[in-house]
């Protein structure tokens, strides 16, 4: 294979909000390359609809301390409070900075940034919902991503579009660089650098029904895991309550923030029973479980497996001005107008709370004692700081990407003079080439699409909102079978250029790895907390389980350790909404 070598101070994997925000900071200290397997503005961040949380108080009284409290409580007390406090207090300057960079936020009549309600965000420490989400209609991610991309181009960040990272090289405990495939030429590129930032997003595609884009497959997490680095709190995977029935496409929580309500088959506003104070705006884990309970107890619409999200009582101007995108999704995919008919919805796999463990500076942790890998950073959805704990509040992910993306870039600049330029040893390149050759030349009866369907089915049926020990054990066994079947894979497309089938196979290999690590973490945690609900252990257990899970790959299989939760101000209490 042709190989080319590049040298940069910083190499960033991913051009979503986390990668771009990190690039804007790192470029102040040295040269920066951003690699993305997609054209940059196609990153999943562009799909973010509802908004970004910041206690600006533009529409009613608000306070960063309330935001801090809500995030801790939303996380079911598993979030690290030092990181959460930092994020919530940084939110206000972060949003104002975006405004100054040119993000076209929606406005109040007097011209301030408009704000709306979102699940779990309250005033006076949980008393009632508050307008905290800053938005740009229901295309917030799109508006912010385009703005940051323009800023990065202006500041001479170098982009390598449609470059798929195949290896993140850590040798002798230090980051050296990355190996990537250029899709259009089929050439290998070695990027040697002083710092590597992993900002590769989530991995919702391991589930059958998901709001996540096609490319959110999580291979970068698996690449680090395979090298013996830990992954944190993987068992916490969020199901968003309102995905379009059967399709999983997201209907933003902003729809309920603007006054939409959930109704069961009897026409009841059932959230009043599950969360008397916040009702439809309770945190996502609570609402997702409530919807599935209604369905399981026969109160779905016409006894079927979905409920209704009703927006028909709203002023049609609200739909037109503040929710145009979801209105058009409903028309295109379901042939219905949400101004006239309720929308059929079910929970959809949405967000990974866990990921690559980092400290508040974005440095990747190698162990539960806080030691880190010099030169290796992670930010955004692939990382776990952990500000979301066991359950993320809506609008806190965009905030997390921006705040910790910036922290990452700042720390790189601070340390650049002490980091040396990495070197990628030949054996790492040989390994990558051997794997590509295996994929392209292997003969067997298995197809990528069949195995991917099987994986997504296992995860959906046995590892989604409700979990049991038996189900999780079965899932582990079935994943092992899939791993064996993967060895029998054969591709139809043997070419070296734009070979999407080969890339899908590669992603599938890593998705199986990641799924296994997730199921293992879910088996270890014998309690229910946030998004992780074990029917055999239905209560939260702070005595034994108020701690983070770290899973590692060892020569004898997966192993685990625990890390204490950082608790500063808010002691765990019962969680009622
Ligand atoms: C439909 C939807 C709506 C959402 N709405 C909101 C919202 O309103 N508010 C909110 O706070 N959050 C929301 N979220 C969550 C939030 O959008 C994401 O968590 C966040 O945008 C992730 O940003 P990121 O920068 O970490 O990754 P992404 O934006 O996912 O970007 C990942 C990048 O990594 C690159 N990449 C991945 N693997 C490789 C590889 N192997 N080689 C090269 N490049 C690679 C991709 O090309 C991409 O550029 C929403 C999520 C979804 C799916």
């Amino acid at each position: 294979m042709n190989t080319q070598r590049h040298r940069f101070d910083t190499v960033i994997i991913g051009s979503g909000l986390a990668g771009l925000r990190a690039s804007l900071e790192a470029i102040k200290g040295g040269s920066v390359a951003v690699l993305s397997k997609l054209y940059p503005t196609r990153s999943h961040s562009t799909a973010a609809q509802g908004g970004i949380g910041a206690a600006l108080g533009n529409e009613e009284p608000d306070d960063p301390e309330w935001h801090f409290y809500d995030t801790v409580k939303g996380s079911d007390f598993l979030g690290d409070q030092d990181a959460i406090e930092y994020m919530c207090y940084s939110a206000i300057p972060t949003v104002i900075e975006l405004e100054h960079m040119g993000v076209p936020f929606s406005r109040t009549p007097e011209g301030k940034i408009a704000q709306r309600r979102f699940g779990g965000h309250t005033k006076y420490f949980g008393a009632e919902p508050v307008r905290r989400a800053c938005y740009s209609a229901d295309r917030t991610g799109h508006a912010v991503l385009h703005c940051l991309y323009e800023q990065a181009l202006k500041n001479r960040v170098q982009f390598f579009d449609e470059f798929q990272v195949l290896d993140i090289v850590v040798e002798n405990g230090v980051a050296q660089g990355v190996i990537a495939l250029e899709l259009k030429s089929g050439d290998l590129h070695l990027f040697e650098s002083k710092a590597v930032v992993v900002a590769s997003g989530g991995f919702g595609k391991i589930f059958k029904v998901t709001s996540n884009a096609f490319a959110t497959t999580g291979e970068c997490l698996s690449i680090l895991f395979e090298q013996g680095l830990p992954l944190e709190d993987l068992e916490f995977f969020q199901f968003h309550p309102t995905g379009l029935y059967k399709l999983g496409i997201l209907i933003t929580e902003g729809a309920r923030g603007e006054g939409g309500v959930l109704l069961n088959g009897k026409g009841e506003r059932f959230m009043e029973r599950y969360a008397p104070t916040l009702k439809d705006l309770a945190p996502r884990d609570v609402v997702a479980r409530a919807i599935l309970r209604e369905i399981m107890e026969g109160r779905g619409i016409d006894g079927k497996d979905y409920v209704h999200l009703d927006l028909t009582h709203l002023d049609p101007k609200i739909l037109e001005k503040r929710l145009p995108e979801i209105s058009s999704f409903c028309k295109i995919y379901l042939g219905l107008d949400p101004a006239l008919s309720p929308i059929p919805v079910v929970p959809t796999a949405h967000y990974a709370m866990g990921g690559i463990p980092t400290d508040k500076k974005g440095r990747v942790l190698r162990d539960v004692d806080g030691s880190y890998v010099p030169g290796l950073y992670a930010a955004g959805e692939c990382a776990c700081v952990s500000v979301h704990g066991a359950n993320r509040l809506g609008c806190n992910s965009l905030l997390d990407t921006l705040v910790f993306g910036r922290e990452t870039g700042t720390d790189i600049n601070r340390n650049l003079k002490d980091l040396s330029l990495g070197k990628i040893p030949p054996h790492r390149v040989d390994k990558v080439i051997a794997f590509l050759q295996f994929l392209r030349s292997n003969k067997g009866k298995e197809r990528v699409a069949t195995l991917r369907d099987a994986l997504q089915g296992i995860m959906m049926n046995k590892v989604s909102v409700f979990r049991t020990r038996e189900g999780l054990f079965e899932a582990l066994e079935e994943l092992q079978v899939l791993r064996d079947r993967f060895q029998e894979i054969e591709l139809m497309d043997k070419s070296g250029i734009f070979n999407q089938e080969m890339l899908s196979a590669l992603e599938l290999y890593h998705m199986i790895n990641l799924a296994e690590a997730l199921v293992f973490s879910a088996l270890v945690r014998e309690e229910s907390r946030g998004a992780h609900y074990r029917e055999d252990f239905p209560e939260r257990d702070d005595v034994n389980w108020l701690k983070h899970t770290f899973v590692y790959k060892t020569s004898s299989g997966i192993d685990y350790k625990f890390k204490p939760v950082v608790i500063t101000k808010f002691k765990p209490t019962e969680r009622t909404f």
Side-chain angles (χ1 to χ4, degrees):
M1 284 180 85
N2 290 330
T3 48
Q4 299 181 37
R5 203 176 285 269
H6 311 263
R7 295 204 167 92
F8 284 89
D9 290 313
T10 302
V11 169
I12 298 176
I13 308 167
S15 57
L17 295 192
L20 291 179
R21 188 61 193 84
S23 80
L24 286 177
E25 220 51 50
I27 196 71
K28 295 176 187 165
S31 57
V32 178
V34 173
L35 277 57
S36 173
K37 64 177 172 178
L38 303 167
Y39 186 75
T41 50
R42 297 186 70 109
S43 305
H44 188 66
S45 292
T46 202
Q49 302 171 351
I52 164 167
L56 299 178
N58 283 356
E59 305 243 9
E60 59 183 325
D62 201 0
D63 192 320
E65 192 73 4
W66 302 340
H67 190 182
F68 173 22
Y69 169 79
D70 291 338
T71 305
V72 171
K73 189 172 168 195
S75 83
D76 219 347
F77 297 91
L78 194 78
D80 284 335
Q81 296 187 13
D82 54 343
I84 296 176
E85 182 171 18
Y86 183 74
M87 178 177 83
C88 295
Y89 277 85
S90 306
I92 297 170
T94 299
V95 167
I96 290 173
E97 182 188 58
L98 289 179
E99 184 189 35
H100 291 179
M101 282 182 187
V103 173
F105 283 110
S106 294
R107 298 283 162 177
T108 64
E110 65 273 25
K112 293 180 180 169
I113 293 174
Q115 297 190 276
R116 64 177 157 212
R117 292 175 175 169
F118 241 77
H121 291 279
T122 70
K123 53 187 169 190
Y124 308 113
F125 301 103
E128 53 183 299
V130 71
R131 295 177 197 281
R132 185 176 290 147
C134 311
Y135 59 95
S136 196
D138 54 356
R139 303 188 185 103
T140 312
H142 181 92
V144 180
L145 187 71
H146 279 258
C147 176
L148 292 187
Y149 183 50
E150 287 163 9
Q151 293 291 326
L153 289 175
K154 182 177 109 182
N155 285 286
R156 309 213 178 283
V157 170
Q158 260 178 271
F159 283 88
F160 293 84
D161 304 341
E162 299 184 325
F163 273 59
Q164 182 124 0
V165 170
L166 306 182
D167 197 10
I168 303 165
V169 182
V170 177
E171 286 279 327
N172 308 319
V174 179
Q176 310 287 337
V178 309
I179 304 176
L181 182 77
E182 182 181 13
L183 306 198
K184 78 163 185 246
S185 67
D187 290 350
L188 269 194
H189 292 252
L190 315 189
F191 291 84
E192 294 175 327
S193 61
K194 295 181 178 171
V196 173
V197 181
V198 187
S200 59
F203 52 91
K205 275 288 159 189
I206 63 172
F207 292 96
K208 192 180 183 78
V209 177
T210 176
S211 66
N212 283 196
F214 202 73
T216 42
T217 45
E219 58 275 16
C220 291
L221 287 89
S222 161
I223 288 170
L224 295 178
F225 184 64
E226 290 226 298
Q227 295 180 62
L229 290 171
L231 294 175
E232 181 176 0
D233 290 343
L234 280 191
E235 63 272 37
F236 299 104
F237 202 96
Q238 175 167 84
F239 276 69
H240 191 293
T242 58
L244 287 186
Y245 181 48
K246 291 201 169 147
L247 302 170
I249 294 171
L250 192 77
I251 300 295
T252 172
E253 208 164 70
R256 280 170 285 142
E258 298 290 358
V261 293
L262 290 163
L263 300 175
N264 65 14
K266 295 170 138 182
E268 292 166 340
R269 200 177 161 191
F270 56 89
M271 279 315 298
E272 289 175 343
R273 274 188 273 124
Y274 294 90
T277 309
L278 298 186
K279 302 186 180 79
D280 301 271
L281 287 172
R284 291 174 179 173
D285 55 330
V286 176
V287 184
R289 274 195 295 276
I291 291 175
L292 291 176
R293 285 252 179 261
E294 291 299 298
I295 292 171
M296 275 156 38
E297 289 170 13
R299 292 188 295 278
I301 304 300
D302 299 328
K304 295 208 193 105
D305 53 347
Y306 64 88
V307 296
H308 273 151
L309 172 61
D310 190 8
L311 310 178
T312 55
H313 54 288
L314 300 184
D315 179 349
K317 282 209 180 67
I318 292 189
L319 288 174
E320 212 175 285
K321 283 204 145 166
R322 301 193 198 153
L323 301 166
E325 195 83 353
I326 61 137
S327 301
S328 97
F329 287 165
C330 292
K331 287 175 192 158
I332 293 170
Y333 295 107
L334 301 178
L336 70 78
D337 181 348
L340 305 173
S341 325
I343 311 167
V345 292
V346 279
T348 181
H350 185 58
Y351 183 85
M353 269 74 73
I356 305 162
T358 70
D359 62 15
K360 294 198 292 297
K361 296 172 177 169
R363 298 183 298 200
V364 171
L365 303 182
R366 67 163 72 258
D367 208 340
V368 292
D369 62 6
S371 56
Y372 59 90
V373 183
L376 188 61
Y377 292 80
E381 188 170 340
C382 68
C384 179
V385 195
S386 116
V387 282
H388 310 302
N391 173 64
R392 170 173 78 81
L393 291 189
C395 290
N396 270 353
S397 171
L398 295 190
L399 183 58
D400 167 14
T401 62
L402 295 163
V403 168
F404 293 101
R406 186 194 58 219
E407 286 306 301
T408 297
T410 306
D411 196 67
I412 289 172
N413 288 343
R414 205 180 291 133
N415 290 306
L416 215 48
K417 59 180 181 331
D418 301 320
L419 293 167
S420 42
L421 191 69
K423 201 157 176 33
I424 297 177
H427 74 93
R428 296 293 287 246
V429 184
D430 295 345
K431 196 168 161 215
V432 165
I433 293 176
F435 191 48
L436 294 181
Q437 271 166 355
F438 160 77
L439 290 176
R440 274 166 51 198
S441 61
N442 202 47
K443 299 250 175 281
K445 58 181 188 314
E446 298 292 357
R447 299 288 171 266
V448 180
T450 321
L451 296 186
R452 190 174 49 216
D453 279 354
L455 165 72
Q456 293 169 335
I458 297 169
M459 294 305 284
M460 204 66 202
N461 295 333
K462 301 194 167 145
V463 200
S464 60
V465 177
F466 295 105
R467 300 166 175 180
T468 60
R469 186 203 302 262
E470 298 83 69
L472 293 170
F473 262 120
E474 282 166 22
L476 263 193
E477 278 167 16
E478 289 170 25
L479 288 171
Q480 187 54 53
V481 173
L482 269 193
R483 187 183 284 289
D484 297 339
R485 287 176 66 190
F486 187 85
Q487 293 307 315
E488 297 289 310
I489 206 157
E490 181 171 346
L491 307 185
M492 302 290 95
D493 182 354
K494 315 274 184 197
S495 69
I497 293 172
F498 259 116
N499 187 340
Q500 292 295 340
E501 193 188 13
M502 181 179 77
L503 295 175
S504 298
L506 203 132
E507 289 168 350
L508 173 66
Y509 169 83
H510 289 296
M511 280 155 73
I512 297 173
N513 249 342
L514 209 47
E516 214 169 49
L518 190 158
V519 177
F520 189 88
S521 308
L523 256 176
V524 168
R525 185 172 289 272
E526 296 189 329
E527 66 155 353
S528 290
R529 184 185 295 273
H532 172 69
Y533 190 85
R534 290 274 304 253
E535 289 183 281
D536 39 358
F537 298 96
E539 301 299 326
R540 194 177 85 192
D541 174 0
D542 287 338
V543 176
N544 296 302
W545 290 104
L546 188 57
K547 53 194 179 189
H548 299 288
T549 322
F550 274 45
V551 288
Y552 302 76
K553 188 169 177 169
T554 69
S555 50
S556 53
I558 301 179
D559 201 359
Y560 61 91
K561 287 188 187 174
F562 299 112
K563 180 168 175 261
V565 175
V566 180
I567 294 173
T568 56
K569 268 195 189 150
F570 301 110
K571 302 280 170 275
T573 55
E574 207 196 331
R575 196 165 163 254
T576 49
F577 296 101

